[in-house]
Amino acid sequence: MGSNSSRISDLPKNEYLKKLSGTESVSENDPFWNQLLSFSFPAPTSSTELKLLEEATISVCKSLVENNPRTGNLAALIKVFLSRTKELKLSAECQNHIFIWQTHNALFIICCLLKIFICEMSEEELQLHFTYEEKSPGSYSSDSEDLLEELLCCLMQLITDIPLLDITYEISVEAISTMVVFLSCQLFHKEVLRQSISHKYLMRGPCLPYTSKLVKTLLYNFIRQEKPPPLGSHVFPQQSDGGGLLYGLASGVATGLWTVFTLGGVGSKAAASPELPSPLANQSLLLLLVLANLTDAPDAPNPYRQAIMSFKNTQDSSSFPSSIPHAFQINFNSLYTALCEQQTSDQATLLLYTLLHQNSNVRTYMLARTDMENLVLPILEILYHVEERNSHHVYMALIILLILTEDDGFNRSIHEVILKNITWYSERVLTEISLGSLLILVVIRTIQYNMTRTRDKYLHTNCLAALANMSAQFRSLHQYAAQRIISYTCRHLRRYVYVLDKLYFPHSHCSTLQHCFSALSDNGEELLSLTCSHILRSYAASLFSLLSKKHNKVLEQATQSLRGSVSSSDVPPPDYAQDLNVIEEVIRMMLEIINSCLTNSLHHNPNLVYALLYKRDLFEQFQTHPSFEDIMQNIDLVITFFSSRLLQAGAELSVERVLEIIKQGVVALPKDRLKKFPELKFKYVEEEQPEEFFIPYVWSLVYNSAVGLYWNPQDIQLFTMDSD
C-alpha cells in the first residue's frame, strides 16, 4: 500500500488507508481492493507488533468510524472477503497462493478494524456499521443484509472446511482470531454478559448448525499441535528490487502497507515465546474455552458447552440419544496424549478440568487408562512449583486431583505405579516411590505452603479433601510420605498449643512455647527434645481441661481481652481465635485421614504406624481434647497396642526390627475394637454462578496468551491487570 511507506509513522498518510476511511464510497468491484490487499509481510504475531500498528493507525480508524455509516466501505470490504471465501477451498486445492494471500490480508484488516469497533462503540452502533445497504447510500433498513452474521458463518465454514496446508495455515489462524475478537466485547464490561450479540448470532440462526463441527475442529487443532510452515512457504514472496509483484494488474501495485514491519520484530515472537510452538493450536484452544464458557442465552442453553459435554470416543460404536444435540466423536487416545503433553499452560489445564468435570465419557476413559502417571505427574509438577504459578492454575490442578480421587479405582491404582528418580522433587532424593506416595507428598507440601503464605481456606480445604478421598486406599506408603503425614499433623498440634497459650496468657513472659516453635525447621520437621515434649504434655493437659469446660466462651473472652489491651498506636494483634479455628479444622481432617488409613488399610502401611509411634508423645496429649476426643480413640488404641509390643521386645531396637514387630502385630490387633466412622468421601461441586470465576479467568488467558491480539490495558473492564 504505497511503495514509499517505510516507517510506521507514515501509515496515517498512506493513500489507500485514507481512501478506505475517507468520505468516498468504494464499490466492492473497484480495483482498489486488489491494491489494498496486496501487502506482502507476515501478519504480526505478537501484541507488541499489533500495539505499534494500532497506535499508528488510530487516526485512520477514527476516520473510518466517523465516515463508514455514510460510505459503507467496511461492508464493502467484508463483501469482498465473503466473495473470495467461496472460492477458497478450490484455491487451496489448486495451490493458488496469490488468491489465498489476498484473502488472508482482507481478513487481517477486518479483524483489526472489528477489534477497534467493538472497543469503541456499543453493540447497537456496531450492528449499524454491519448493516449498510449499498442501494440506498447513507441509510439503514430493517431489511438490510446482516453482514456480521454472514461473516461469522463464513468464518466457521473457513475454520471447519478449508484443508490445513502450508498456504492456508495463516488464514486459518486469522479466522479463529477474528472469532475471538468478535467475542471480545466481554472484555469491556465489568459484569458477565448474559445477553449480547454473541448469544444472538452464535446460539441460534444459521451459525448454530456449525456448532459440533467447530468444536471438533478446534479440539483436533489442539490435539495435532501443527507448527506453522517454514517462513516463506506460506507468505507471498517479498518484492524484488524492481517493485511490487502483481495480482493480475498491469500497473505497479504498492508493495504493501505492512512491509514497514520488517524493521524488527515480525520474526521475534517465536524466539520470545518458545512455549507456543503452534499458534493454531493455542488460538484454537482459547476460542474453544471462550465458547464453552459463554453463559446460556435466555431462551437456549450454550450449544458449545453441550457439544463439549457429550462428545464420545471414535471407538464407541453406540448411537447418541436423540436428546443430545451437537454430538460428535473424537479420538480419545490422541486427546489424552495431547492433554498429558500440554499441561504447562493454564489453558490446557483448564481444558482438562472442563472435560473431566463436564464430559462423563472422557472421565470414564481417563480413569480406565493404565498409564495415569502421564497425566498425574504434570499436574503434580504444577502444584509442586506453586510459587511460580498463578493461583487460578493451581486451583485447576488441585480440583483435577480432587475429581480423580473421587474414584476408588484411581486411588488403588496410583499405589501400584512405581516411579523412579523424580528429578523435579528437590526436598529429598526419591529414587523409587509410588505415584500415590508422591501425590501425598506434593499435596501436603501445597497445604503447608498455603498455610504459611497465602492462607487460602479454599485451597487447603480441597487439598485435604483429596487426601481424605485417598486415605482408605493408602497402600505401601513410602516411609517419607508416612513421615510427612504424621509430622505435618504434629506441626499443627504444636501450633495449636502455641496459639492457645497466646489466647489465654497474652502478656505471659513464659518463653517455653515460643522456644518450642523456634525449634521447628522450615520444612515442618519437629526438632523438639523429649524434655520439651513432656513440658508440653502437662501444659496442654491443663489448657484442654479448661477448653473442654467452656470452649467458645473462653476463646471469645480471651480474644476480646487481648484486643482491648492494645492501644490505638500499637500494631493490631493477630486474630488468634480465627487462627485457632483454621488450625483446628486442619488437625481434625488430618486425624480423620490417619484414622481412615488405620481402620481400612493398617496391614498395608507399617511405615505409617512406625511414624505414628515415633511421635506418640504428642498425639497422647490430645486424647482429652473436646474437638478430637472421638477421632483419637482409634489412634490411641493403635499407639497403645504397638507400644506394648515394642516394650516387650526390649530396648534399642533397629528400624528393621521395629517394622518387623509392627507387621507381626497387625495380624494380632483386634479389629473389632476399632471404632467405625463414616467413610471419608468428598465430591467436587462447582460454586453457584461459576461463570463469575471462569469468564474473567478465560479472558485473562486470552489477553495474556493469544497470538497476535492486542488490547489496550486501560480499556479492559472485566478484570484488573494485576489479577492472575
Side-chain angles (χ1 to χ4, degrees):
M1 289 184 195
S3 57
N4 294 325
S5 290
S6 59
R7 295 192 305 270
I8 293 178
S9 58
D10 292 334
L11 294 180
K13 295 177 286 186
N14 183 277
E15 60 178 298
Y16 296 102
L17 286 178
K18 289 174 73 173
K19 185 171 182 177
L20 173 67
S21 60
T23 57
E24 179 186 346
S25 293
V26 183
S27 166
E28 60 193 88
N29 300 315
D30 196 301
F32 163 80
W33 299 109
N34 283 329
Q35 298 169 323
L36 177 74
L37 303 178
S38 294
F39 55 88
S40 58
F41 88 108
T45 57
S46 76
S47 60
T48 302
E49 295 155 13
L50 278 166
K51 180 181 179 182
L52 292 173
L53 171 64
E54 187 167 304
E55 290 175 348
T57 57
I58 191 68
S59 62
V60 175
C61 294
K62 286 182 177 179
S63 177
L64 183 63
V65 168
E66 180 181 347
N67 295 320
N68 183 66
R70 293 184 296 276
T71 66
N73 286 346
L74 178 61
L77 173 61
I78 291 172
K79 288 180 179 179
V80 169
F81 170 73
L82 293 175
S83 67
R84 285 174 169 271
T85 56
K86 295 173 184 176
E87 303 175 43
L88 199 57
K89 193 170 184 179
L90 179 61
S91 298
E93 293 170 356
C94 299
Q95 295 284 303
N96 189 337
H97 289 251
I98 295 178
F99 188 87
I100 294 173
W101 162 58
Q102 289 195 322
T103 308
H104 165 268
N105 289 348
L107 181 56
F108 172 73
I109 296 174
I110 290 169
C111 184
C112 292
L113 297 176
L114 180 63
K115 183 165 66 68
I116 294 173
F117 274 46
I118 288 176
C119 178
E120 296 291 332
M121 61 186 65
S122 68
E123 291 186 353
E124 292 76 14
E125 291 175 302
L126 179 68
Q127 288 178 290
L128 288 177
H129 279 279
F130 282 85
T131 52
Y132 177 81
E133 197 167 19
E134 187 178 356
K135 62 184 179 183
S136 16
S139 66
Y140 300 100
S141 166
S142 59
D143 299 326
S144 58
E145 190 176 17
D146 193 334
L147 285 177
L148 194 54
E149 185 171 57
E150 194 173 343
L151 174 64
L152 282 171
C153 287
C154 178
L155 292 175
M156 296 172 93
Q157 281 182 300
L158 195 159
I159 294 167
T160 57
D161 292 348
I162 301 302
L164 186 61
L165 308 170
D166 281 0
I167 61 173
T168 61
Y169 190 95
E170 281 192 354
I171 196 169
S172 296
V173 174
E174 199 64 48
I176 294 169
S177 296
T178 306
M179 283 203 67
V180 172
V181 165
F182 167 72
L183 292 159
S184 66
C185 54
Q186 175 65 79
L187 281 171
F188 313 111
H189 295 80
K190 289 184 178 180
E191 303 297 324
V192 169
L193 295 178
R194 301 181 187 279
Q195 191 168 1
S196 66
I197 54 172
S198 305
H199 297 84
K200 174 182 177 180
Y201 293 125
L202 292 177
M203 295 191 185
R204 60 176 70 86
C207 290
L208 191 60
Y210 292 100
T211 297
S212 59
K213 201 171 182 180
L214 178 62
V215 171
K216 182 176 182 178
T217 300
L218 296 175
L219 275 173
Y220 268 126
N221 286 346
F222 166 72
I223 289 170
R224 290 168 179 151
Q225 294 289 317
E226 293 282 356
K227 293 179 173 58
L231 190 64
S233 64
H234 56 301
V235 182
F236 192 69
Q238 294 291 329
Q239 70 276 8
S240 65
D241 292 339
L245 291 166
L246 311 182
Y247 174 60
L249 297 176
S251 60
V253 177
T255 56
L257 162 67
W258 277 248
T259 51
V260 295
F261 286 98
T262 58
L263 295 175
V266 170
S268 64
K269 180 67 175 179
S273 302
E275 70 277 11
L276 293 178
S278 175
L280 179 65
N282 181 72
Q283 221 78 338
S284 296
L285 179 53
L286 291 172
L287 175 57
L288 181 64
L289 292 172
V290 169
L291 291 171
N293 286 281
L294 288 173
T295 57
D296 293 338
D299 56 347
N302 179 347
Y304 305 94
R305 187 182 302 121
Q306 287 182 318
I308 286 174
M309 291 174 64
S310 59
F311 71 83
K312 298 195 304 185
N313 194 353
T314 49
Q315 296 182 352
D316 187 343
S317 58
S318 62
S319 59
F320 284 99
S322 57
S323 59
I324 297 180
H326 316 298
F328 64 92
Q329 291 180 289
I330 206 166
N331 188 310
F332 277 16
N333 182 60
S334 300
L335 176 62
Y336 180 80
T337 301
L339 287 167
C340 292
E341 293 174 350
Q342 301 300 321
Q343 286 307 306
T344 52
S345 74
D346 278 72
Q347 46 266 40
T349 304
L350 181 54
L351 176 64
L352 175 58
Y353 159 80
T354 302
L355 295 178
L356 276 175
H357 178 57
Q358 297 186 3
N359 190 311
S360 59
N361 300 319
V362 173
R363 183 169 60 252
T364 300
Y365 174 84
M366 289 186 176
L367 289 170
R369 294 281 302 204
T370 57
D371 59 347
M372 278 297 290
E373 67 273 15
N374 292 335
L375 186 68
V376 175
L377 281 173
I379 298 301
L380 293 183
E381 202 166 350
I382 293 169
L383 293 176
Y384 185 78
H385 296 294
V386 59
E387 302 93 336
E388 304 166 14
R389 304 290 182 179
N390 68 70
S391 60
H392 288 11
H393 199 185
V394 172
Y395 287 153
M396 291 299 100
L398 181 57
I399 293 169
I400 287 167
L401 285 186
L402 180 56
I403 292 171
L404 293 174
T405 61
E406 292 171 13
D407 183 76
D408 285 340
F410 171 83
N411 294 331
R412 285 190 297 271
S413 65
I414 55 175
H415 293 288
E416 298 168 1
V417 177
I418 304 301
L419 309 169
K420 296 182 183 295
N421 300 317
I422 307 300
T423 54
W424 48 262
Y425 192 94
S426 59
E427 272 83 352
R428 180 170 297 198
V429 176
L430 300 175
T431 55
E432 186 172 290
I433 189 172
S434 71
L435 179 60
S437 290
L438 180 64
L439 195 157
I440 292 167
L441 288 174
V442 172
V443 171
I444 288 179
R445 184 181 184 276
T446 305
I447 305 173
Q448 184 173 312
Y449 173 84
N450 177 62
M451 292 292 286
T452 57
R453 306 282 184 84
T454 57
R455 302 179 71 81
D456 185 333
K457 184 175 181 179
Y458 180 86
L459 190 66
H460 85 247
T461 299
N462 283 283
C463 283
L464 291 169
L467 287 178
N469 283 347
M470 296 167 58
S471 60
Q473 308 292 337
F474 284 170
R475 294 289 188 276
S476 303
L477 290 181
H478 189 280
Q479 61 180 13
Y480 185 50
Q483 175 190 334
R484 293 297 292 124
I485 292 172
I486 300 302
S487 64
Y488 181 73
T489 308
C490 289
R491 182 182 182 88
H492 283 284
L493 291 174
R494 296 184 190 281
R495 174 70 186 172
Y496 188 83
V497 176
Y498 171 71
V499 174
L500 275 180
D501 175 65
K502 288 295 184 182
L503 268 172
Y504 292 127
F505 307 105
H507 306 295
S508 172
H509 297 288
C510 176
S511 61
T512 302
L513 292 175
Q514 188 67 49
H515 168 73
C516 292
F517 284 97
S518 66
L520 292 178
S521 68
D522 289 339
N523 66 1
E525 298 297 333
E526 285 74 7
L527 305 177
L528 295 172
S529 65
L530 181 62
T531 304
C532 190
S533 289
H534 283 302
I535 294 172
L536 270 174
R537 179 186 298 176
S538 59
Y539 190 83
S542 61
L543 281 177
F544 295 161
S545 176
L546 176 64
L547 189 64
S548 63
K549 293 177 182 176
K550 38 186 177 180
H551 181 63
N552 294 327
K553 186 175 181 181
V554 169
L555 285 181
E556 182 182 350
Q557 290 176 347
T559 304
Q560 290 175 352
S561 173
L562 180 60
R563 286 174 174 163
S565 65
V566 179
S567 67
S568 58
S569 61
D570 291 333
V571 176
D575 190 344
Y576 287 116
Q578 182 180 357
D579 198 17
L580 201 69
N581 287 332
V582 173
I583 297 171
E584 187 172 309
E585 288 178 11
V586 174
I587 291 173
R588 173 76 191 188
M589 184 64 81
M590 289 302 297
L591 291 177
E592 289 187 357
I593 288 167
I594 295 169
N595 180 73
S596 175
C597 178
L598 297 178
T599 306
N600 295 284
S601 55
L602 178 64
H603 55 295
H604 290 297
N605 293 291
N607 284 329
L608 186 68
V609 177
Y610 181 96
L612 185 62
L613 291 172
Y614 190 75
K615 300 292 184 183
R616 60 183 178 271
D617 286 341
L618 188 55
F619 281 91
E620 288 170 352
Q621 298 166 26
F622 283 77
Q623 293 173 11
T624 59
H625 190 287
S627 296
F628 313 134
E629 197 170 2
D630 58 335
I631 205 72
M632 283 297 299
Q633 291 180 28
N634 288 340
I635 297 173
D636 182 48
L637 174 63
V638 170
I639 289 174
T640 303
F641 177 81
F642 285 101
S643 295
S644 174
R645 295 184 75 88
L646 291 177
L647 190 62
Q648 294 172 15
E652 298 184 5
L653 300 174
S654 65
V655 173
E656 292 75 16
R657 178 58 182 149
V658 172
L659 285 171
E660 183 182 342
I661 293 171
I662 290 172
K663 290 175 183 176
Q664 294 170 351
V666 165
V667 181
L669 179 67
K671 304 293 192 300
D672 58 325
R673 290 177 56 191
L674 293 173
K675 182 181 177 182
K676 292 294 182 183
F677 286 86
E679 184 181 18
L680 283 180
K681 274 296 175 187
F682 295 87
K683 186 175 179 60
Y684 170 71
V685 179
E686 275 189 347
E687 301 278 349
E688 290 185 15
Q689 297 185 317
E691 64 274 8
E692 299 289 344
F693 170 86
F694 285 104
I695 289 178
Y697 179 33
V698 168
W699 277 107
S700 72
L701 297 180
V702 173
Y703 178 84
N704 290 306
S705 307
V707 177
L709 289 178
Y710 167 80
W711 288 276
N712 189 331
Q714 296 179 351
D715 295 330
I716 305 299
Q717 298 291 320
L718 182 61
F719 51 84
T720 55
M721 288 299 102
D722 58 350
S723 65
D724 287 325

